[in-house]
Amino acid sequence: MRYLFFTNTPAHVHLYKYAVRELQAMGHDVLVLGRDYGCTKDLLEYYELPHEIYGSCGTTKYSLFKSLPFHYVNIFRAVRRFKPDLIFGMGGYAAHAGAVSRTPVVLLLDSEPTSLDHVVSRPFAKAILTPHTFGKDLADNHYQFRGFKETAYLHPDVYEPSVDIRAELGLDPDEQFVVVRFNAFGSHHDVGHGGFTPERRRELISMLGERATVFVLDESEERRDGDLDTRPFDFHPALVHDVLAEASLLVADTQTMVTEAALLGTPAIRSNSFVGDDDMGNFVELERQGLISNLKSFDDVMARAEELLADDGAKARWAEKRDAFLADKVNLTDVIVQVALNYGSVETVDSLTRHTVPA
């Protein structure tokens, strides 16, 4: 069989990397189509995945829209050359590649607010997989699995630290450190949304720096924290989960990394304009389980961060809560591989009840 995977962001590389390797080990032909966005290309090369880059995208709100025609031309050419039997992806690129090439498509979606992606992609999907917390019913072929997309690479069955990250970072064995993650809010689903202002970024980092070593990861093209005393992320981005697992705290106005921290047993604070009554189901569930804090008020962010950094027992308690939460969650890589091998039968996919349940 010939399988095509789309990796438009760094998180997509992590999502599919183990499934790609398993399918290759079984003797199947696999191609990953990647977008040069953030560290996506670096990760594809680091994991030595068979890939082609179909185009690039910056972090400004309109960079993607200007690049779309060029991207689609390259994607359609690559699909014609590779001739896949099945396509995996998370939105319009995968769906439209399947429609043009008459190839079945499996979509893996996890964000309720990305309604535009749902509208343009779901009519072309053979199956749609979402987390069990997903708050929309998309179609008759919509299936839910018990977990999040991050359980494809952070489930205890697949994740283990790859290096002594404290040695890599030059930290003492008991040195407390915090990861701060800032979003560029440049994706189409980020239009109208935002996070910390430059002034609040500086105030946040200054407060955290008085209590711990601070590492800042800024997705935007220009660092906005000035000359504040922070450590640069001067290691390979493939090690970021090892960093998160060892950190005392994550504070972020982004999305994916908050879920990653929760699944690694690290306290996390999330603050952006998505937080509220219509928030995404996965973040509501993680807060209900006591693994993250979703906060709109900047004062609340500051107070909660101070509280967690002063709590010597927080990491141990979070590890226990993480273990309890993941006890009945699937290794999503297993789901992806089984769907790949059985996609020809909707009944077979439906019967994978230990992995998925009808939405």
Side-chain angles (χ1 to χ4, degrees):
M1 300 294 292
R2 300 173 70 81
Y3 298 105
L4 179 67
F5 291 82
F6 277 84
T7 59
N8 306 324
T9 71
H12 298 174
V13 179
H14 294 300
L15 167 62
Y16 291 123
K17 63 186 178 186
Y18 293 121
V20 168
R21 288 175 175 174
E22 287 194 28
L23 291 169
Q24 282 186 298
M26 294 176 183
H28 300 286
D29 294 321
V30 184
L31 175 64
V32 179
L33 282 184
R35 182 171 63 192
D36 188 3
Y37 173 81
C39 59
T40 303
K41 184 178 178 181
D42 292 335
L43 291 173
L44 289 169
E45 293 172 351
Y46 181 89
Y47 294 116
E48 298 182 342
L49 301 181
H51 69 276
E52 295 179 15
I53 300 298
Y54 64 77
S56 61
C57 180
T59 58
T60 61
K61 280 185 166 56
Y62 303 105
S63 175
L64 173 60
F65 295 103
K66 291 189 294 184
S67 304
L68 277 176
F70 175 76
H71 288 177
Y72 272 112
V73 168
N74 287 341
I75 286 169
F76 294 154
R77 286 174 178 169
V79 172
R80 282 200 300 269
R81 286 194 306 270
F82 185 65
K83 299 179 180 178
D85 296 302
L86 183 65
I87 296 173
F88 284 88
M90 293 193 72
Y93 285 140
H96 299 155
V100 169
S101 63
R102 298 183 179 180
T103 306
V105 176
V106 175
L107 297 177
L108 205 159
L109 308 175
D110 74 333
S111 178
E112 294 94 329
T114 56
S115 297
L116 177 61
D117 261 351
H118 302 161
V119 169
V120 303
S121 60
R122 66 184 177 187
F124 309 104
K126 185 175 185 66
I128 300 172
L129 306 181
T130 70
H132 65 292
T133 57
F134 196 81
K136 290 182 178 180
D137 185 0
L138 296 178
D140 291 339
N141 59 344
H142 173 189
Y143 301 91
Q144 294 184 338
F145 56 90
R146 288 200 61 78
F148 304 135
K149 78 175 189 296
E150 292 82 5
T151 56
Y153 55 95
L154 294 180
H155 191 278
D157 288 351
V158 293
Y159 173 74
E160 60 182 27
S162 57
V163 297
D164 179 352
I165 200 63
R166 286 189 172 271
E168 289 282 328
L169 298 176
L171 296 172
D172 295 334
D174 59 350
E175 186 173 349
Q176 188 166 236
F177 73 93
V178 178
V179 176
V180 180
R181 166 70 163 169
F182 295 134
N183 195 354
F185 291 93
S187 299
H188 65 85
H189 53 263
D190 290 329
V191 173
H193 288 283
F196 296 119
T197 65
E199 294 76 16
R200 285 181 168 175
R201 291 177 183 223
R202 289 190 289 270
E203 186 177 347
L204 173 66
I205 293 170
S206 179
M207 182 276 290
L208 294 172
E210 294 174 358
R211 294 159 175 79
T213 299
V214 180
F215 291 88
V216 176
L217 181 56
D218 193 342
E219 192 182 47
S220 63
E221 295 174 350
E222 181 179 353
R223 286 283 297 273
R224 305 180 205 178
D225 49 33
D227 297 323
L228 292 171
D229 184 17
T230 64
R231 297 276 191 96
F233 267 75
D234 56 358
F235 50 84
H236 197 282
L239 302 180
V240 70
H241 299 127
D242 294 351
V243 176
L244 275 180
E246 188 69 16
S248 300
L249 174 67
L250 168 73
V251 183
D253 61 8
T254 187
Q255 313 281 40
T256 297
M257 196 170 284
V258 172
T259 303
E260 292 173 338
L263 299 187
L264 291 165
T266 296
I269 298 171
R270 167 177 169 264
S271 182
N272 56 39
S273 57
F274 288 101
V275 173
D277 294 338
D278 297 322
D279 206 349
M280 285 163 271
N282 58 319
F283 297 114
V284 173
E285 174 68 6
L286 289 172
E287 184 169 51
R288 189 176 72 84
Q289 297 296 329
L291 289 166
I292 69 172
S293 299
N294 298 307
L295 302 171
K296 268 192 175 296
S297 164
F298 183 67
D299 289 341
D300 290 344
V301 170
M302 296 284 277
R304 181 61 171 156
E306 289 187 73
E307 177 187 359
L308 287 168
L309 288 176
D311 185 349
D312 293 335
K315 282 287 286 187
R317 293 200 312 278
W318 255 252
E320 292 177 359
K321 289 189 284 188
R322 180 272 316 273
D323 291 345
F325 177 70
L326 288 176
D328 66 345
K329 304 304 183 293
V330 297
N331 170 3
L332 182 56
T333 291
D334 286 345
V335 177
I336 294 169
V337 170
Q338 289 303 312
V339 170
L341 298 176
N342 296 283
Y343 79 94
S345 168
V346 172
E347 291 78 12
T348 301
V349 174
D350 191 25
S351 71
L352 297 171
T353 52
R354 76 181 181 93
H355 296 303
T356 58
V357 295

